[in-house]
Amino acid sequence: MEKQNFELQKSLGYHFNIIFINIKKSMEIKLKDYNLTHLQFSILINLYKNNVTTQKELLKYTYGDETSITRLVDRLESKGYLKRVQSSEDKRKKMFLLTEEGVILTEELITSAKKVNSEITANLSKEESTLLLELLQKIDISM
């Protein structure tokens, strides 16, 4: 049987995975000071960006599952970074709202995330960085 020709180092999936692991490690180093995970950061940043959101919307933005999102939100609420409020439109719905402390923390984390992004793209020109982001977004949309 003839072996298929495949070079792992020329695979997009391989490089995406390596880059993801390295970005996640860099961000987790920054998050460790705040005793947060990257998924908790993802929730905070999405609440900050959208101001108030539901669990269903968080699932869409974080690619998590309902059970894990509930646990993550519970932890963030117990730390005082967010609170649950009743929807004014539907009394059965709970909305998530960042507390003042949560907003301050998220703004600090955004600064850290920007630093990580700068480190990642340090070897790229501004044009290359812009092109890379455009290409990644194009791939994301097609999936």
Side-chain angles (χ1 to χ4, degrees):
M1 181 154 106
E2 188 175 326
K3 290 184 180 179
Q4 292 188 34
N5 185 16
F6 181 78
E7 293 181 52
L8 186 61
Q9 286 74 19
K10 291 186 179 181
S11 163
L12 285 177
Y14 171 79
H15 287 285
F16 284 147
N17 189 47
I18 296 297
I19 291 167
F20 169 74
I21 289 168
N22 288 322
I23 291 170
K24 187 177 167 192
K25 280 182 191 175
S26 295
M27 200 58 207
E28 283 178 345
I29 289 168
K30 308 267 188 217
L31 293 171
K32 192 175 185 179
D33 294 338
Y34 301 94
N35 196 25
L36 294 173
T37 66
H38 72 282
L39 289 173
Q40 289 171 321
F41 170 66
S42 180
I43 289 171
L44 290 171
I45 194 81
N46 280 295
L47 290 175
Y48 181 84
K49 179 183 163 199
N50 300 311
N51 197 20
V52 178
T53 190
T54 63
Q55 183 160 332
K56 186 176 181 180
E57 289 172 322
L58 277 178
L59 289 169
K60 182 175 72 173
Y61 290 119
T62 60
Y63 304 102
D65 62 77
E66 216 166 307
T67 306
S68 65
I69 294 295
T70 300
R71 281 193 309 262
L72 293 166
V73 166
D74 287 345
R75 285 188 199 122
L76 290 169
E77 186 175 32
S78 71
K79 293 177 180 183
Y81 299 137
L82 64 83
K83 61 183 175 181
R84 288 177 169 95
V85 294
Q86 202 168 36
S87 169
S88 57
E89 297 155 10
D90 183 348
K91 300 294 180 199
R92 297 169 294 170
K93 270 189 185 176
K94 292 287 185 187
M95 308 288 280
F96 304 124
L97 176 66
L98 286 178
T99 62
E100 187 176 332
E101 189 179 346
V103 169
I104 292 167
L105 172 68
T106 304
E107 288 174 346
E108 288 176 26
L109 294 173
I110 288 170
T111 300
S112 294
K114 286 180 178 180
K115 286 178 186 172
V116 169
N117 281 333
S118 293
E119 292 165 7
I120 293 165
T121 58
N123 292 331
L124 301 177
S125 68
K126 184 160 178 55
E127 293 79 20
E128 288 171 326
S129 185
T130 301
L131 178 60
L132 176 61
L133 185 58
E134 288 170 0
L135 293 172
L136 290 172
Q137 289 170 337
K138 191 173 183 178
I139 290 170
D140 186 30
I141 289 169
S142 73
M143 298 183 84

